[in-house]
Amino acid sequence: MEAIKTISGVSHPLEPLSADEVAMAAAILKRDQSLEASARFVTITLSEPPKAEVVAFEPRHRIDRQAKIVIWERARRCTYEGVVSITDNRTVSWIEVPGVQPAIMFEEFVKVEEVVRRDPRFVEALRRRGVTDMNLVMVDAWPVGYNGPEDDPTAGRFCLPIIWVRAGDDDDNGYARPVEGVIVRFDLDRMEVAGVEDHGVVPLLTRGGNYTAERLKDPANFPHFPEGARTDLRALEIKQPDGPSFAIEGHHVIWQKWDLRVGFTPREGLVLHMVQYRDGSRLRPIIYRASLSEMFIPYGDPNPTHYRKNVFDMGEYGVGFYMNSLELGCDCLGEIRYLDGVVNDNDGNPIVMKNAICLHEEDFGILWKHTDYRTEKAEVRRSRRLVISSIATIGNYEYGYFWYLYQDGSIQYEVKLTGVIAAGGVMPGVRPAYGELVAPGVYGPNHQHFFNVRLDMMVDGVENSVDEVHSEAAPRGPGNPHGNAWVNIMTPLDHESIAHRRIDPFSARRWRISNPSMKNVFGEPVAYTLIPGDNVLPFYQPDAYALKRALYTTDHLWVTAYDPSQMFAAGEYPNQNRGGDGLPAYQAADRPLANADTVVWYTFGAHHVPRPEEWPVMPVATIGFHLKPTGFFMGNPGLDIPPADHCGPDGTDRANHSAHHDR
Ligand SMILES: [Cu+2]
């Protein structure tokens, strides 16, 4: 049946907002609320229809396209939330949200640098450090956080810029030259510097920290490669002459047996919707919505320049605004398909971020193998994964957000951390107490990156249960006479007050999300298991201001009852937040979770003790988790992968055979 398209040409309720829709949504709100120019558009996001409506959606259904809009009214110092129906050309709701500060906007980020560079107190502080050309000074508008009543959301709208200096020209990596000791407090509403403190001069780095191929040979660079770029790399080509094995229509992606929709929002960036797997004639849902919900990067250095570096990159900026346009053969290799990301500027105009999302397939080594040593027949299958990725640049740092789908039914999420560390300057001969030297005169403060992924699970249906599973030694006794026995213990996380848990690698702790009303042939509920990867906890004291704003980092696994208004692990408005919002508050009602519409939230921390080898640009570090089918399929779902052309019964691997005979 021909799909009914909306006025804006959309044929599915979860298609991300198009550029036209962003413009229409802003126009409706401006008209209906008589918005003045001082009303700044923080975010314009698709307001997703109720889950029941989306799950039951058929192409003949009418789609009401709605957008949620967050406004910061600069003149009145008020936050508003509006919902408009683009389809019906009307405002659905409009409320003031008292006592909150929405995210720092891109226009503010840009303007702060311009204004700070002109402030006489700041110019004087930089002059004391030998910097006279203010055009070389980089001022990044880091959030002020909350460190007492002066930062209260009702006290004003502030940021706390961090300062760097380029050496001589625009192409120099300025993030290699941190300015230590100059603390600027900036009033974003007045657009003026509120105060400058100088905690003493630390000499600026004299050597460069450049990473471009042209500058490798520059003797003024650290590290210095006198030979330039290496010359012994030969071509390595990925060829897919028949094209990729996936198909995309709009934002609907089908890859082999996987079936999903890709979404994009200004705050979260990449989102996955309706992740399903075709199993025989059934299209079986696994996840309703998967998104990175928050990031928190706490620094463990008490020095004045660093102790207030406690960024929430999603709630205090929005990573969707900072996505890279990805380039063929650089970010992804092979047959690539791109999707654009649409965000808003602060006047409410759409911005199309070309190629913000990359889809491609990767060879991933071996999926499975067995050699029958008696017959010498080897069966091996290559593993291939579908990669859906995007990369954000937030000032000095890069974050790659990668979803992987595999042929064995498993799903992986991985964050790739790279870019330039937020370094500090240190006096010659001093060994920093709360960080590590990475280059002469530069140190990387101890810090961590805590991510939280919100997984609105839908394992064969909306109603799921979550159990904690761990392994332990069986007690000695008649059942364990040899002392070797161990068992797997399952503990239901059946109400919210117990559903905040930590990893425990020594007991192989993991979490099983199952559907009690869908049993497999063994009578067990079909399930997916969340398998943690590397993880850590924050080292902040419990009463530290920043930790109270990031309570979601104090445990790793959280389960909540589904509520579409609960989307972000640190709450809706972490900027200048006094603390207490987010996951613990979401769980406060202690709602029941068994066989219910539940949401699983997983927090994972990258522990970052900087190394000299991460200077001046950091090799990718990864952190993430897996979701693996557990009794969801009967048998290995990848058994039907055909052998590669040159492998299999006749062509197998002669080298392997002769090695065997020589033995
Ligand atoms: Cu780091």
Side-chain angles (χ1 to χ4, degrees):
M1 181 187 295
E2 183 75 4
I4 301 173
K5 290 198 173 177
T6 62
I7 182 168
S8 42
V10 164
S11 57
H12 191 278
L14 294 177
E15 280 287 304
L17 289 181
S18 67
D20 285 348
E21 289 178 317
V22 167
M24 288 158 87
I28 292 167
L29 199 69
K30 279 181 187 170
R31 179 198 67 205
D32 289 0
Q33 305 308 321
S34 312
L35 298 182
E36 318 253 341
S38 54
R40 310 312 298 153
F41 285 78
V42 183
T43 47
I44 302 179
T45 311
L46 174 68
S47 178
E48 294 169 21
K51 191 190 284 188
E53 213 173 283
V54 174
V55 171
F57 176 76
E58 288 180 33
R60 62 188 165 80
H61 292 173
R62 179 180 186 272
I63 305 170
D64 180 12
R65 293 289 278 175
Q66 297 195 355
K68 180 181 170 182
I69 302 176
V70 175
I71 296 282
W72 173 247
E73 207 338 314
R74 267 187 79 181
R76 302 181 53 197
R77 297 190 161 194
C78 288
T79 303
Y80 295 93
E81 289 179 359
V83 176
V84 300
S85 167
I86 299 159
T87 313
D88 297 342
N89 191 7
R90 68 184 180 95
T91 298
V92 176
S93 66
W94 173 251
I95 53 160
E96 185 184 336
V97 188
V100 301
Q101 284 291 343
I104 294 172
M105 292 176 271
F106 185 69
E107 67 178 11
E108 293 173 317
F109 202 85
V110 173
K111 188 85 178 159
V112 166
E113 176 166 277
E114 204 183 301
V115 176
V116 171
R117 280 171 171 180
R118 290 199 304 258
D119 184 88
R121 295 160 290 180
F122 181 75
V123 170
E124 177 55 25
L126 270 287
R127 202 195 51 77
R128 282 196 284 274
R129 287 157 175 82
V131 180
T132 50
D133 182 354
M134 295 308 285
N135 292 320
L136 298 174
V137 179
M138 307 185 343
V139 181
D140 283 6
W142 284 48
V144 73
Y146 184 92
N147 287 272
E150 73 278 14
D151 298 327
D152 194 87
T154 57
R157 182 167 169 81
F158 301 102
C159 71
L160 200 78
I162 308 274
I163 320 298
W164 290 269
V165 184
R166 288 188 201 276
D169 66 277
D170 275 358
D171 289 333
D172 181 68
N173 171 25
Y175 289 118
R177 303 178 89 217
V179 174
E180 195 70 29
V182 181
I183 314 297
V184 182
R185 186 177 171 86
F186 195 92
D187 186 324
L188 288 165
D189 282 326
R190 297 199 169 89
M191 267 299 154
E192 62 186 32
V193 175
V196 177
E197 292 168 23
D198 193 338
H199 292 260
V201 174
V202 175
L204 285 175
L205 200 64
T206 49
R207 301 187 73 176
N210 286 300
Y211 44 74
T212 57
E214 312 87 72
R215 297 205 178 202
L216 284 179
K217 281 183 171 179
D218 182 354
N221 212 34
F222 181 86
H224 175 216
F225 287 83
E227 311 269 293
R230 57 183 81 177
T231 53
D232 52 358
L233 275 176
R234 296 190 179 148
L236 192 161
E237 288 174 8
I238 312 288
K239 287 186 181 153
Q240 294 182 271
D242 308 324
S245 308
F246 57 82
I248 307 180
E249 197 186 339
H251 288 74
H252 181 203
V253 178
I254 296 175
W255 178 64
Q256 301 182 59
K257 298 185 173 183
W258 288 100
D259 187 305
L260 69 151
R261 305 194 65 88
V262 176
F264 188 88
T265 74
R267 178 160 170 166
E268 304 156 291
L270 181 58
V271 176
L272 301 187
H273 299 283
M274 298 291 285
V275 180
Q276 305 180 85
Y277 193 96
R278 188 166 296 284
D279 184 14
S281 59
R282 286 191 299 160
L283 192 55
R284 302 176 65 188
I286 299 161
I287 309 176
Y288 179 72
R289 190 182 196 280
S291 55
L292 185 65
S293 94
E294 194 49 274
M295 293 166 52
F296 172 56
I297 299 94
Y299 282 72
D301 181 344
N303 282 315
T305 319
H306 304 286
Y307 82 93
R308 295 181 87 157
K309 286 157 69 175
N310 306 292
V311 203
F312 295 74
D313 281 319
M314 311 194 73
E316 289 179 335
Y317 293 122
V319 300
F321 294 107
Y322 297 90
M323 289 300 173
N324 289 195
S325 284
L326 302 171
E327 277 181 58
L328 185 61
C330 307
D331 299 295
C332 315
L333 218 52
E335 278 296 312
I336 316 296
R337 298 293 179 269
Y338 293 107
L339 293 169
D340 296 340
V342 176
V343 296
N344 57 284
D345 74 9
N346 306 121
D347 292 315
N349 302 309
I351 300 175
V352 177
M353 317 191 76
K354 274 315 261 184
N355 298 353
I357 301 167
C358 168
L359 287 100
H360 75 294
E361 295 173 283
E362 278 177 2
D363 179 277
F364 193 63
I366 293 170
L367 182 68
W368 56 262
K369 172 163 191 169
H370 180 60
T371 303
D372 182 327
Y373 83 91
R374 291 185 172 81
T375 61
E376 296 182 0
K377 277 188 186 161
E379 290 283 337
V380 59
R381 300 294 182 272
R382 299 298 299 175
S383 174
R384 197 186 292 197
R385 62 184 185 182
L386 178 67
V387 188
I388 306 166
S389 65
S390 58
I391 300 175
T393 298
I394 310 196
N396 52 297
Y397 226 74
E398 263 73 17
Y399 293 100
Y401 307 109
F402 283 67
W403 286 100
Y404 298 107
L405 302 177
Y406 293 88
Q407 292 161 316
D408 65 354
S410 64
I411 301 168
Q412 183 188 1
Y413 183 69
E414 188 172 79
V415 180
K416 296 184 198 280
L417 301 92
T418 181
V420 186
I421 60 167
V426 63
M427 288 290 205
V430 172
R431 201 207 161 283
Y434 305 98
E436 300 295 330
L437 288 166
V438 294
V442 199
Y443 77 107
N446 295 337
H447 66 280
Q448 299 171 303
H449 307 252
F450 287 96
F451 305 91
N452 179 278
V453 168
R454 179 183 182 275
L455 296 163
D456 186 351
M457 298 299 292
M458 192 179 167
V459 178
D460 259 351
V462 168
E463 269 91 41
N464 289 169
S465 292
V466 181
D467 295 282
E468 181 165 297
V469 188
H470 76 277
S471 304
E472 64 180 44
R476 276 271 188 191
N480 184 19
H482 315 291
N484 67 318
W486 56 274
V487 290
N488 301 310
I489 310 283
M490 191 111 65
T491 312
L493 300 178
D494 54 8
H495 53 286
E496 286 180 323
S497 62
I498 60 164
H500 51 99
R501 304 290 299 160
R502 293 180 176 178
I503 59 153
D504 179 13
F506 298 109
S507 74
R509 186 176 288 171
R510 54 222 185 261
W511 294 280
R512 197 188 74 158
I513 303 112
S514 68
N515 186 332
S517 47
M518 295 291 280
K519 301 274 170 50
N520 62 26
V521 292
F522 310 121
E524 298 285 341
V526 297
Y528 262 72
T529 302
L530 191 153
I531 318 243
D534 283 357
N535 214 332
V536 68
L537 286 168
F539 291 91
Y540 277 27
Q541 298 295 334
D543 60 346
Y545 280 120
L547 193 64
K548 290 192 218 166
R549 305 165 60 214
L551 292 172
Y552 81 87
T553 64
T554 58
D555 283 310
H556 298 121
L557 190 282
W558 304 73
V559 191
T560 58
Y562 172 74
D563 177 341
S565 72
Q566 298 176 343
M567 295 299 293
F568 305 112
E572 195 81 22
Y573 296 100
N575 192 19
Q576 295 182 238
N577 192 302
R578 299 172 205 90
D581 279 0
L583 283 171
Y586 294 167
Q587 289 186 330
D590 195 16
R591 295 166 292 188
L593 299 173
N595 203 10
D597 187 355
T598 51
V599 179
V600 174
W601 311 67
Y602 181 61
T603 299
F604 47 106
H607 192 68
H608 198 171
V609 180
R611 299 175 292 132
E613 291 83 354
E614 293 171 351
W615 191 259
V617 65
M618 179 186 157
V620 166
T622 59
I623 189 97
F625 65 92
H626 284 85
L627 285 166
K628 292 194 176 178
T630 311
F632 187 85
F633 299 106
M634 279 304 97
N636 178 348
L639 211 59
D640 61 348
I641 308 296
D645 282 349
H646 54 280
C647 305
D650 299 325
T652 317
D653 216 350
R654 300 288 169 203
N656 186 35
H657 280 220
S658 53
H660 183 80
H661 287 298
D662 291 346
R663 198 168 53 189

